Amino acid sequence: MSGSAPVLDRLPGDRRYWFLALGVLLLAWPFLFGSFWARIGLGALMWIGLAQSWNMIGGYAGYLDFGHGAYFGIGGFAAGIAMVQFGYPFVVGFALAIVVAAVLAYLVAVPTLRLTGAYFAIATWALAESIKQAALILEITGGTFGLSLPRSPDTFIGIAVPFAISETFFYYVMLLLCAATMLVTYVLFERHEFGYRVKALRDDQDAAESLGIDTTRVKRQVYVLSCVVAAVFGSVYAWYIVFIHPNDILAPIVTDRMVIMALLGGLGTLTGPIFGGLLVFLLQRLSSVFLGSSTFYLPLIGTLIMITVLFAPSGIIGILRGEIGRDDVRKNLKELGEKFDLL
């Protein structure tokens, strides 16, 4: 590692003031930049939260969940079914999304978390595909026609609220959910004993069990928590866009984006999904808006993934912390060149 100070340590002044300034900026964002950038900010906050939800099971616990996006769709459909099929307000659908996701996640965790590595990844991917196909044929989900949700002031809590259910409203809801997700991650995984147990089973499950850690229970708790967080964002997203279809909200790309964001940002870190989520989402959205292409960002993301895996396995946050320096890059380049006879 090079002798230069990490980027984060070179910030002038007290970091608390930087966080305070960031908080003020986020709170004032819709009023400073208008509806277009409020929409961009809303999407960025949602994907940061989703990336962090996957990071709980994939980064902190070390289980590659390739079906995590299914719970995003489950949350959306649970809220949608409650509102459309039974006429309940959104808050009831929101609560139902949490309950359904928690129960299903626990039932899935019992058999699948006995598996490891590629076997767990394949099992969760198969689960997600099964849920998607079921949603396409079930009448209650709208089948191939999808589901259209109502969005008016009286669909929030059952009575008319004195404010508009607008872009700005959903921005602040996503901001609240994203902040809550970060806070829960910080408290549970970075400061609480629970987080140390999770990291212990990730690093060496046998050693963790020899220390008296109930790894089965801990794995189930992490999995259920991560799935519930994804479902919470899915329920709000469904109400925001007012129309959901299994091919969209249950698409494999939802999980793929979570994985890429966490990987690029830094697995098993608090702030990694923030940097990875911002980078991937902004590349995708801005290339679509300003270049007229919704796929232009894909080769860029592919290149970034290759660079990250080869030269910065700890992700963007590792670079900012100074864990990866020029000497490390030179060493990795030399090893790569020798391996493929390029040098």
Side-chain angles (χ1 to χ4, degrees), residues 58-63 197-205 208 267-268:
Y60 284 105
Y63 274 76
R197 293 181 178 182
V198 174
K199 295 171 186 175
L201 76 86
R202 175 194 64 192
D203 295 337
D204 192 326
Q205 184 169 326
L267 293 174

Side-chain angles (χ1 to χ4, degrees), residues 25 58 106 110 114 160-161 169 171 181 186 210 263 275 288 299 303 317 327:
L25 176 63
Y106 182 81
V110 172
R114 298 175 184 271
V161 291
F169 168 79
Y171 170 85
T181 300
Y186 175 75
S210 70
L263 176 64
F275 291 104
S288 176
T303 303
I317 194 63
D327 294 337

Side-chain angles (χ1 to χ4, degrees), residues 227-264:
C227 294
V228 166
V229 172
V232 163
F233 281 97
S235 66
V236 176
Y237 175 76
W239 193 34
Y240 166 62
I241 62 171
V242 303
F243 176 77
I244 53 176
H245 192 280
N247 285 334
D248 297 325
I249 201 169
L250 288 167
I253 190 65
V254 176
T255 299
D256 296 342
R257 285 180 182 171
M258 295 184 205
V259 176
I260 292 170
M261 289 171 176
L263 176 64
L264 287 178

Side-chain angles (χ1 to χ4, degrees), residues 35-156:
S35 61
F36 171 76
W37 287 103
R39 192 178 306 117
I40 296 294
L42 186 158
L45 290 168
M46 184 188 78
W47 281 106
I48 288 171
L50 288 173
Q52 190 66 270
S53 76
W54 187 90
N55 188 46
M56 292 176 183
I57 186 67
Y60 284 105
Y63 274 76
L64 297 180
D65 183 0
F66 283 168
H68 199 71
Y71 293 94
F72 177 72
I74 287 169
F77 273 112
I81 290 170
M83 297 179 73
V84 176
Q85 308 291 9
F86 298 102
Y88 290 119
F90 172 74
V91 289
V92 175
F94 182 84
L96 182 64
I98 293 174
V99 173
V100 171
V103 172
L104 180 61
Y106 182 81
L107 294 176
V108 170
V110 172
T112 58
L113 286 174
R114 298 175 184 271
L115 307 172
T116 58
Y119 299 103
F120 175 78
I122 293 171
T124 52
W125 170 81
L127 168 71
E129 284 299 307
S130 300
I131 292 174
K132 176 185 172 183
Q133 295 304 318
L136 283 169
I137 62 175
L138 290 175
E139 184 178 349
I140 197 171
T141 61
T144 56
F145 296 100
L147 209 59
S148 295
L149 283 69
R151 196 174 88 184
S152 59
D154 62 338
T155 58
F156 182 27

